[in-house]
């Protein structure tokens, strides 16, 4: 039997867990139950009992690495930001957050290589989304579905990307 360090995990794209197919322990399934990879099942006495997908080892390692990486998904990051903001600025409004965001965008424009200024922008974007009940993860997924279905061009006069 495959030795997965956790039964399931979530990721930035899917809020439902990924894991092992309950009907077939030789299959790694995604959040919707679709097979991601199959792997060989080894019995401690009888050896290999199933076939092996060449990507299975990578899939299993990815499940294990996800749990070990220590990084936060977008929802965890948003929770951390809003807990801090609620404690420090409990009376803040959307307008307050956006005014601060405009200030931080100006600072970032002066130094576009600054990871800290980009961090300020992201903190404020996640906070304003929280204040307005927006699930950022879901909103970005939905918008990317739309963007990927559109045709795009760059405006010759302004250099701005636009869908046509």
């Amino acid at each position: 039997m495959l030795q997965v360090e956790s039964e399931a995990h979530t990721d930035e794209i899917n809020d439902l867990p990924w894991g092992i197919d309950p009907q077939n322990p030789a299959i790694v399934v995604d959040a919707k139950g679709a097979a991601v990879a199959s792997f060989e099942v080894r019995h401690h006495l009888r050896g290999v009992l199933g076939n092996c997908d060449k990507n299975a080892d990578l899939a299993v390692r990815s499940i294990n690495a996800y749990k070990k990486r220590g990084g936060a998904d977008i929802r965890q990051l948003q929770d951390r930001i809003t807990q801090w903001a609620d404690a420090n600025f409990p009376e803040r409004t959307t307008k307050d957050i956006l005014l601060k965001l405009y200030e931080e965008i100006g600072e970032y424009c002066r130094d576009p290589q600054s990871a800290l200024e980009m961090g300020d922008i992201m903190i404020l974007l996640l906070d304003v989304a929280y204040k307005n009940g927006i699930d950022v993860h879901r909103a970005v997924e939905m918008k990317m579905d739309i963007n990927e279905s559109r045709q795009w061009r760059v405006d010759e006069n302004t250099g701005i990307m636009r869908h046509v």
Side-chain angles (χ1 to χ4, degrees):
M1 177 72 80
L2 172 70
Q3 297 299 311
V4 180
E5 295 171 9
S6 63
E7 289 300 311
H9 74 282
T10 58
D11 59 32
E12 293 88 349
I13 298 172
N14 298 288
D15 55 0
L16 298 174
W18 291 44
I20 306 302
D21 185 334
Q23 282 80 39
N24 184 350
I27 303 290
V28 176
V29 293
D30 71 10
K32 296 177 182 171
V36 174
S38 65
F39 51 87
E40 60 188 29
V41 177
R42 293 182 179 267
H43 187 273
H44 68 284
L45 297 175
R46 295 186 285 168
V48 175
L49 301 178
N51 64 354
C52 182
D53 182 313
K54 67 181 180 178
N55 295 317
D57 186 57
L58 177 61
V60 173
R61 287 174 192 254
S62 295
I63 290 172
N64 293 334
Y66 182 84
K67 287 302 209 180
K68 288 182 175 178
R69 74 181 179 161
D73 72 15
I74 197 78
R75 290 183 183 113
Q76 292 167 326
L77 198 53
Q78 188 172 23
D79 287 345
R80 179 179 175 196
I81 290 163
T82 55
Q83 286 173 6
W84 173 84
D86 285 346
N88 288 282
F89 312 105
E91 303 300 319
R92 73 194 183 287
T93 65
T94 295
K95 179 182 173 185
D96 300 331
I97 300 166
L98 290 175
L99 287 171
K100 181 63 176 167
L101 176 62
Y102 299 145
E103 178 182 299
E104 294 298 337
I105 289 172
E107 290 178 18
Y108 179 74
C109 287
R110 288 188 291 279
D111 184 8
Q113 299 299 313
S114 173
L116 294 177
E117 293 303 336
M118 178 56 72
D120 283 337
I121 291 168
M122 295 305 299
I123 287 166
L124 292 162
L125 286 172
L126 290 172
D127 191 36
V128 78
Y130 164 79
K131 289 296 279 183
N132 290 283
I134 296 170
D135 178 339
V136 174
H137 174 263
R138 193 161 311 285
V140 171
E141 283 292 316
M142 289 172 25
K143 188 59 181 178
M144 282 304 300
D145 288 344
I146 293 167
N147 286 348
E148 290 169 343
S149 70
R150 289 178 166 166
Q151 296 294 317
W152 292 85
R153 69 176 179 81
V154 176
D155 185 296
E156 293 176 15
N157 297 317
T158 63
I160 297 174
M161 302 160 281
R162 300 191 189 281
H163 60 86
V164 291

